[in-house]
Amino acid sequence: MNTKILTTDTSDISLAGEIIANGGLVAFPTETVYGLGANAFDEKAVKAIYTAKGRPSDNPLIVHIAKKDDIIPLVQELTEEAKILIEAFFPGPLTIILKKSSKINNVVSGGLDTVAVRMPQNKIARALINASGCPVAAPSANSSGLPSPTKAKYVIDDMMGKIDAIIDGGDSDFGVESTVLTLATDVPTILRPGSVTKEMIEAVIGKVEVAKAVLEGMQNDEVAQSPGMKYKHYAPQKAKLIMVNATKEQYESFVNQQKDAYALCFEDDNVTIPKITYGKEDDDISQAHQLFDALRIIDTTDAKKVYARIPSASGVGMAVYNRLIRAAAFNVIDLKKPFTIGLTGPSGAGKGYVCEIFKKLGFKIVDADLCARQIFDINKEILPQLQKEFGNDIIENGTLNRHLLADRAFATKEATQQLNAITHPAIIELCKQQAQGLCVLDAPQLFESGGNAHCYKTVAVVADEETRLNRIINRDGISENQARARFSAQLTNQQYIEKCDFVIFNNGEDLHSQIHNILEEIL
Ligand code: TXA
Ligand code: MG
């Protein structure tokens, strides 16, 4: 098929209107993204949209109108809420879903008994609908699964030769698709966030809900409230996109250590690897404007792995977050936790060696045992609490008698628990103060102390008991009985393995490759 490229001149708009009236397909600009339009009442023309996009037939289309009243014949009933929303937001980037009238065929509605309607703000879009003389069914004008087009050139990339015409109307104003709000549920529910925010809608009709799938993705057995939720969307074709939940500093320090990776980040981020930006950190409108462009640019590079800086999910940011987390197929690295890795395991398993390797790989190591020894000097609130529990005489001339404290605190299990209850929170706090960038918390009592809650992933280093026994007898010059007593106060190999996300075996196995595999999986 020969696809005409049209301008926004009146004569071209009239021609495009005729094409639609005669059952053809025309891509056109709207204020959100480009749409791919056909006469909504012409089943055959609407079917051709699904074919051109490669879109699953159960994913319904939005019907676009040029005047507010044009919604009336399309729906069973215009509810009070619908009337208020139309007054407040039509024309604009809001789509409302209502029970459909008999005029809406099943091809447009994907077999549902509802219809999605929107009146675009873009004057070219409305002039085209007027010139067509019918409501225009239009999804975004991209091939199914790709980012929606925010420039005519992206429509050309996806649709050339597949449709009758493309109107080049310049860049889209908003850059993310319209907010989709269903009024066919008990409480109005946002099925897709957009530039008309939850707060803006609530200001006119009161409480609205946000479908769970908007921010969290769908469970396997969940029925999609909106069919579009369940399909793969926006992802780059060649590169793997991973979202990084991190502060600006954490993100920069993380990506700057990555080799062969790209950063998808904000303009002001200081990254030394190749970067593609999507707006400014504190400006969600600029992020929405540029995101799809940035996602398409990724595919023009040789990027294989792209780390995306997470946007804030409030206001228009909710739309940006929703599109980006889909583009990342819900792969998120969480570096907001102070520690990237919590490393634990029984005595003699070789945590020390493993820490050395992490250190060489650029991780900072925070040693919980060291913090435990320093805590009495640093945290002045602890000593009075210990005196209350273990006797005033544990402090002599202003200094702590560590031997006396140890005698009493390790005399019974209960006493040890009391000691831990007082010291563990302070130790973890001190460890957290030392955390920075990519960081390992080396903590034999990671789980007992609650330190695991501050780690992105946990890793156990384990080894056979005999191996460990020999190691600590030789290393610490203790007897076999003393060594066994130490073990009995700790978790077993199996308990460490069960509690941790990953395990490193150290009976002679290759530590480097095990660590490499773990990092490959989590970062
Ligand atoms: O900004 C926009 O909305 C753009 C421009 C062209 O208007 N259009 C657009 O259409 O993004 P599309 O088809 O790419 O996305 C429409 C979304 C889909 O996720 C679809 O599943 C959902 O709206 N949808 C449409 N009708 C629905 C209905 N009756 N019930 C639930 N979801 C519906
Ligand atoms: Mg779409």
Side-chain angles (χ1 to χ4, degrees):
M1 184 185 287
N2 174 24
T3 305
K4 289 190 186 66
I5 307 294
L6 303 177
T7 68
T8 55
D9 291 351
T10 327
S11 58
D12 273 11
I13 304 285
S14 313
L15 174 60
E18 262 170 52
I19 295 174
I20 288 184
N22 292 325
L25 304 189
V26 177
F28 62 98
T30 85
E31 70 279 17
T32 57
V33 299
Y34 276 76
L36 176 55
N39 177 353
F41 296 147
D42 181 339
E43 281 195 24
K44 199 168 153 227
V46 176
K47 273 190 186 144
I49 293 180
Y50 286 89
T51 310
K53 276 181 65 89
R55 180 176 174 114
S57 62
D58 69 346
N59 193 2
L61 309 182
I62 296 171
V63 178
H64 295 69
I65 54 175
K67 291 192 300 295
K68 291 179 186 176
D69 285 348
D70 291 348
I71 190 174
I72 294 169
L74 308 179
V75 300
Q76 268 175 31
E77 186 203 351
L78 211 52
T79 62
E80 273 316 303
E81 281 159 346
K83 286 179 191 157
I84 297 170
L85 289 165
I86 288 169
E87 268 327 298
F89 300 112
F90 277 24
L94 175 71
T95 296
I96 57 174
I97 293 175
L98 288 162
K99 284 264 182 297
K100 71 175 188 180
S101 75
S102 58
K103 293 198 89 156
I104 298 294
N105 61 61
N106 274 328
V107 187
V108 166
S109 70
L112 300 177
D113 60 359
T114 51
V115 63
V117 183
R118 148 165 145 78
M119 177 176 168
Q121 209 169 63
N122 183 295
K123 291 210 170 71
I124 306 300
R126 290 213 308 273
L128 172 68
I129 301 166
N130 273 326
S132 309
C134 56
V136 171
S140 49
N142 50 287
S143 294
S144 195
L146 293 189
S148 301
T150 52
K151 295 172 188 290
K153 72 169 180 199
Y154 296 137
V155 183
I156 293 173
D157 287 346
D158 287 13
M159 292 298 153
M160 205 62 186
K162 296 181 182 166
I163 61 176
D164 298 283
I166 298 168
I167 301 174
D168 185 347
D171 292 3
S172 307
D173 295 330
F174 291 105
V176 288
E177 311 90 334
S178 62
T179 305
V180 176
L181 178 76
T182 180
L183 299 174
T185 44
D186 289 342
V187 182
T189 304
I190 293 177
L191 303 181
R192 182 178 72 184
S195 299
V196 173
T197 64
K198 176 173 188 274
E199 294 74 21
M200 289 160 72
I201 298 170
E202 287 187 328
V204 296
I205 59 164
K207 184 89 194 115
V208 305
E209 281 176 3
V210 177
K212 215 171 126 261
V214 163
L215 298 176
E216 292 172 27
M218 295 196 28
Q219 305 304 315
N220 280 338
D221 54 356
E222 203 175 328
V223 177
Q225 273 184 289
S226 174
M229 288 170 169
K230 65 182 185 226
Y231 293 110
K232 184 166 175 268
H233 216 331
Y234 313 120
Q237 299 291 283
K238 293 174 282 180
K240 181 177 163 105
L241 184 69
I242 302 148
M243 193 147 107
V244 184
N245 182 23
T247 62
K248 178 175 157 68
E249 290 71 28
Q250 286 170 331
Y251 177 81
E252 289 168 350
S253 116
F254 171 70
V255 295
N256 288 341
Q257 286 181 49
Q258 303 301 319
K259 290 185 194 74
D260 303 326
Y262 275 63
L264 174 62
C265 59
F266 302 130
E267 281 165 26
D268 294 333
D269 290 343
N270 290 313
V271 308
T272 50
I273 61 173
K275 90 177 191 184
I276 296 165
T277 61
Y278 74 104
K280 286 192 162 44
E281 170 156 28
D282 51 6
D283 180 359
D284 50 12
I285 293 177
S286 73
Q287 294 163 19
H289 187 71
Q290 291 176 38
L291 180 66
F292 288 154
D293 198 17
L295 290 174
R296 290 223 173 213
I297 288 171
I298 290 173
D299 273 329
T300 67
T301 69
D302 60 351
K304 290 193 189 65
K305 223 180 207 186
V306 181
Y307 292 105
R309 170 104 184 268
I310 203 168
S312 143
S314 62
V316 177
M318 189 190 279
V320 178
Y321 182 98
N322 166 272
R323 307 308 191 275
L324 194 54
I325 199 162
R326 279 173 169 67
F330 293 92
N331 283 313
V332 183
I333 295 175
D334 190 357
L335 299 183
K336 281 257 170 76
K337 299 270 173 76
F339 303 102
T340 324
I341 288 172
L343 195 71
T344 190
S347 292
K351 278 191 296 91
Y353 289 115
V354 172
C355 280
E356 282 307 311
I357 299 175
F358 274 114
K359 204 169 163 184
K360 286 203 186 99
L361 292 170
F363 282 77
K364 174 168 181 179
I365 313 293
V366 174
D367 182 338
D369 278 347
L370 197 63
C371 290
R373 264 175 266 141
Q374 296 167 338
I375 198 68
F376 303 110
D377 300 325
I378 291 173
N379 187 327
K380 297 294 170 210
E381 284 158 31
I382 278 193
L383 295 181
Q385 292 179 49
L386 290 175
Q387 278 184 303
K388 214 166 140 205
E389 193 61 43
F390 299 105
N392 281 329
D393 54 341
I394 60 164
I395 299 193
E396 284 171 306
N397 306 326
T399 51
L400 176 68
N401 183 338
R402 287 174 189 251
H403 285 292
L404 191 59
L405 174 62
D407 283 346
R408 289 179 186 166
F410 296 124
T412 64
K413 233 183 176 159
E414 289 70 36
T416 310
Q417 275 169 4
Q418 286 302 337
L419 174 74
N420 289 344
I422 295 169
T423 56
H424 276 163
I427 295 167
I428 294 302
E429 207 34 57
L430 182 58
C431 290
K432 278 167 66 184
Q433 284 169 21
Q434 298 179 11
Q436 199 182 46
L438 285 181
C439 192
V440 172
L441 174 62
D442 171 6
Q445 302 208 44
L446 184 66
F447 292 95
E448 296 88 329
S449 64
N452 60 309
H454 307 284
C455 302
Y456 167 45
K457 297 286 173 186
T458 54
V459 176
V461 185
V462 299
D464 298 341
E465 190 161 315
E466 283 310 302
T467 314
R468 290 192 279 121
L469 199 66
N470 289 330
R471 281 187 194 146
I472 64 172
I473 290 172
N474 290 331
R475 182 188 68 191
D476 302 343
I478 55 175
S479 70
E480 182 177 336
N481 279 347
Q482 286 171 315
R484 291 203 188 275
R486 206 186 277 180
F487 289 166
S488 67
Q490 299 178 334
L491 302 178
T492 62
N493 271 346
Q494 197 49 39
Q495 286 171 316
Y496 280 111
I497 292 172
E498 276 163 17
K499 284 177 183 290
C500 285
D501 299 315
F502 297 93
V503 190
I504 294 174
F505 293 96
N506 186 20
N507 304 296
E509 293 90 342
D510 181 1
L511 294 178
H512 283 93
S513 67
Q514 293 183 74
I515 291 172
H516 177 84
N517 290 344
I518 292 171
L519 292 180
E520 189 70 359
E521 189 156 334
I522 67 174
L523 300 182

